[in-house]
Amino acid sequence: MGLFRKRKHLKNEKAGRNVMQMVTTYGEHYYSWDGKLYNSDIVRACIRPKVKAAGKLAGKHIRADTGTLKVNPDANIRFLLSEPNPYMTGQQFQEKVATQLCLNNNAFILIVRDINGKPMRLYPVPCVMCETKYINEELHLKFQYRNGKTGIFPYEQIIHLRQDFNEHDIFGESPAPALASMMEVIRTIDQGIVKAIKNSGLIRWLLTFNQSLREEDIKKQVENFVKNYLDIESETFGAAGVDAKATATRIESKDYVPNAMQTKETINRIYSFFNTNEKIIQSRWTEDEWNAYYEAEIEPLAVQMGETYSVRLFSRRERGCGNRIVFEASNLQCASLASKLAMQAMVDRGAMTPNEWRAVMNMAPVEGGEQPIRRLDTQVVDLAGRLLDMAGDIGTEKFTAMSEMVARLAESVVRRQDMLLQAHGEGERDEAQDQYQGRDGPQ
């Protein structure tokens, strides 16, 4: 099978370099797929839910310093996350990067900065080969593009996402060795089915003549047999007869086609490799099933993207001041209607703004909906602090008089409650006595 070939890691000690190949050719470097894995409908179906979910992650710039938290305080970073380059939106950019990560277990993003060092553009690197080079004891990556050109960039200018990070110091492990055998089985099954269908139109009858005939006579006799007995428009279709000069023998086709269970088990192995299942692929999942898939596949990717973006886009000093990038699933469209309606309690308590809740319900924002609201019966309990603030505003004498008035009111409320409880107790005692007399009195 030409889709999968053996992957090799090579290390040149003298040059101090490592190479990761991104195509399926042999040579002095380490290559991977060149998109041929993406041609498989099973593989594409497996990675599509993860790619689509990664595109829906919302990137935000968070600045938490000196007890305050600000969301997207820098317009430059906000535009960089939503419009990474002139050719892609943030959603398209994240989907492309996630696709490269799923196919090669490596994805590279080039950061383009201005003269002041501020990041201005982000570009995914669609390379066919990546090679590590050390220049002045600093790690660089050399990319070879599909048009044959090359580019060398410091590793600090590259956002490198990777998974299955095991043997190599820089690159993630290619999925080629694990998938090669399974994809070979799938390809063989597909070819067997195609050949079986083609063989269904081959020779089904054999005419054996008992005497020697010329070639043109044999051909004419066969044509007459087909016309008279195998043509559906023939009057004798379905019934055949020959004389003693020939013998008609029916040939049964015995093409081997793998049973459905074998095919299904092989496909399930590929599903397991990509940590997915049939319900996720066919969008038949329940809320709990999607949450399980999200925690296993999407959330680790969101965490890795947030941490890697933060390290590359901000300096150490900026990160020390509380700057970081987070990717969150802001829209909970996968939640059921009951779960979305239950979020009303979070709006009442100020945990969500009305517009955030409306976004979950797929509704447009309203004016003033960015301000948190809180029900009066869920106010923050801080009576002592309010009284102290009031004492400073109205003076000590007035505050003392008001305190005494509040104390007297509290005492009257307590006495009133005691009286009600006492009256209620006496009423219950009288009722119990009446019921007792009713049971034991004369009938």
Side-chain angles (χ1 to χ4, degrees):
M1 178 178 176
L3 291 176
F4 308 100
R5 297 185 179 176
K6 187 176 181 180
R7 174 176 58 87
K8 297 180 180 179
H9 281 296
L10 299 177
K11 184 172 182 180
N12 190 325
E13 298 294 343
K14 294 183 179 180
R17 65 181 186 178
N18 291 308
V19 178
M20 187 193 73
Q21 301 173 345
M22 302 289 286
V23 292
T24 55
T25 59
Y26 290 110
E28 298 299 327
H29 302 87
Y30 156 49
Y31 290 131
S32 65
W33 300 115
D34 190 25
K36 291 187 178 180
L37 180 62
Y38 194 64
N39 293 336
S40 170
D41 62 315
I42 299 176
V43 173
R44 191 178 300 192
C46 288
I47 68 175
R48 184 181 290 119
K50 182 175 181 179
V51 169
K52 294 297 182 182
K56 293 165 61 176
L57 294 175
K60 294 183 179 181
H61 173 203
I62 305 297
R63 179 179 295 166
D65 190 19
T66 63
T68 61
L69 188 146
K70 298 181 180 179
V71 179
N72 292 328
D74 190 343
N76 178 64
I77 300 298
R78 176 168 57 86
F79 277 111
L80 186 67
L81 296 175
S82 60
E83 303 173 8
N85 58 68
Y87 311 106
M88 304 176 189
T89 62
Q91 182 259 350
Q92 296 170 341
F93 176 83
Q94 291 168 198
E95 284 192 5
K96 186 175 182 65
V97 172
T99 301
Q100 294 179 355
L101 179 63
C102 293
L103 294 178
N104 294 313
N105 285 341
N106 289 275
F108 305 97
I109 302 172
L110 175 63
I111 305 173
V112 179
R113 302 178 183 271
D114 61 6
I115 57 176
N116 297 320
K118 295 181 62 177
M120 301 301 296
R121 295 285 186 270
L122 298 176
Y123 290 94
V125 183
C127 62
V128 296
M129 184 182 70
C130 180
E131 175 185 351
T132 60
K133 298 178 69 70
Y134 289 88
I135 302 176
N136 297 327
E137 298 183 354
E138 182 181 356
L139 178 61
H140 288 65
L141 295 182
K142 180 180 179 180
F143 298 104
Q144 181 177 342
Y145 308 121
R146 300 185 185 276
N147 58 5
K149 297 182 179 180
T150 60
I152 302 178
F153 304 98
Y155 191 70
E156 294 181 351
Q157 294 184 10
I158 301 296
I159 297 176
H160 184 192
L161 303 178
R162 51 200 168 185
Q163 59 187 15
D164 291 350
F165 190 30
N166 183 26
E167 295 181 359
H168 204 277
D169 295 335
I170 303 298
F171 304 123
E173 298 296 323
S174 173
L179 284 176
S181 60
M182 289 186 289
M183 295 304 298
E184 183 70 24
V185 172
I186 294 296
R187 181 173 179 269
T188 303
I189 292 175
D190 291 343
Q191 288 182 347
I193 295 174
V194 173
K195 289 182 179 179
I197 295 174
K198 290 182 178 180
N199 289 339
S200 63
L202 298 179
I203 297 174
R204 292 291 179 238
W205 288 89
L206 177 63
L207 295 181
T208 304
F209 296 96
N210 299 326
Q211 57 182 340
S212 299
L213 297 176
R214 293 182 302 178
E215 183 178 352
E216 54 269 20
D217 292 335
I218 295 175
K219 183 177 181 181
K220 184 177 180 180
Q221 293 291 337
V222 172
E223 290 177 352
N224 290 335
F225 182 83
V226 172
K227 181 178 180 181
N228 293 330
Y229 308 116
L230 301 182
D231 190 356
I232 59 176
E233 297 180 357
S234 174
E235 296 180 356
T236 58
F237 174 72
V242 294
D243 55 14
K245 295 183 296 184
T247 302
T249 304
R250 181 177 179 84
I251 301 176
E252 298 292 340
S253 176
K254 296 181 180 180
D255 298 318
Y256 172 74
V257 177
N259 57 55
M261 185 60 66
Q262 291 177 337
T263 305
K264 185 176 181 179
E265 288 300 322
T266 304
I267 295 176
N268 284 336
R269 290 178 61 189
I270 299 178
Y271 288 168
S272 298
F273 180 85
F274 288 101
N275 202 13
T276 185
N277 55 66
E278 187 174 326
K279 289 186 177 181
I280 296 296
I281 290 175
Q282 298 180 357
S283 300
R284 296 188 289 110
W285 38 262
T286 62
E287 183 178 354
D288 293 335
E289 290 170 344
W290 175 259
N291 288 334
Y293 178 75
Y294 176 87
E295 292 183 2
E297 285 292 311
I298 312 303
E299 189 176 13
L301 176 59
V303 173
Q304 182 181 178
M305 291 175 63
E307 293 179 350
T308 310
Y309 273 62
S310 300
V311 172
R312 289 292 181 259
L313 296 181
F314 299 116
S315 64
R316 189 178 183 87
R317 179 178 179 277
E318 291 174 330
R319 296 196 303 273
C321 294
N323 291 279
R324 58 191 175 96
I325 302 295
V326 297
F327 287 85
E328 62 180 10
S330 59
N331 55 348
L332 300 175
Q333 300 300 331
C334 63
S336 63
L337 182 60
S339 299
K340 294 178 181 180
L341 293 176
M343 293 180 187
Q344 178 184 357
M346 300 178 64
V347 180
D348 294 342
R349 288 159 175 78
M352 293 179 65
T353 64
N355 280 345
E356 288 176 340
W357 183 72
R358 291 175 65 86
V360 172
M361 299 295 295
N362 199 22
M363 301 170 64
V366 296
E367 184 177 358
E370 296 299 328
Q371 297 296 328
I373 61 176
R374 186 188 297 272
R375 286 170 45 182
L376 294 179
D377 58 349
T378 59
Q379 292 280 346
V380 178
V381 179
D382 190 14
L383 181 60
R386 293 182 181 180
L387 292 176
L388 292 176
D389 294 337
M390 187 182 299
D393 295 335
I394 64 177
T396 305
E397 295 181 357
K398 292 183 179 180
F399 178 74
T400 302
M402 291 181 61
S403 300
E404 293 176 353
M405 183 182 299
V406 171
R408 287 195 297 271
L409 288 174
E411 291 178 357
S412 62
V413 170
V414 171
R415 287 196 300 270
R416 177 63 176 171
Q417 290 179 347
D418 292 340
M419 293 173 61
L420 291 175
L421 291 175
Q422 184 177 1
H424 182 67
E426 291 178 353
E428 290 182 348
R429 191 162 51 251
D430 295 341
E431 182 180 356
Q433 292 177 357
D434 294 340
Q435 292 178 355
Y436 180 77
Q437 294 175 2
R439 289 196 302 270
D440 298 339
Q443 299 295 330

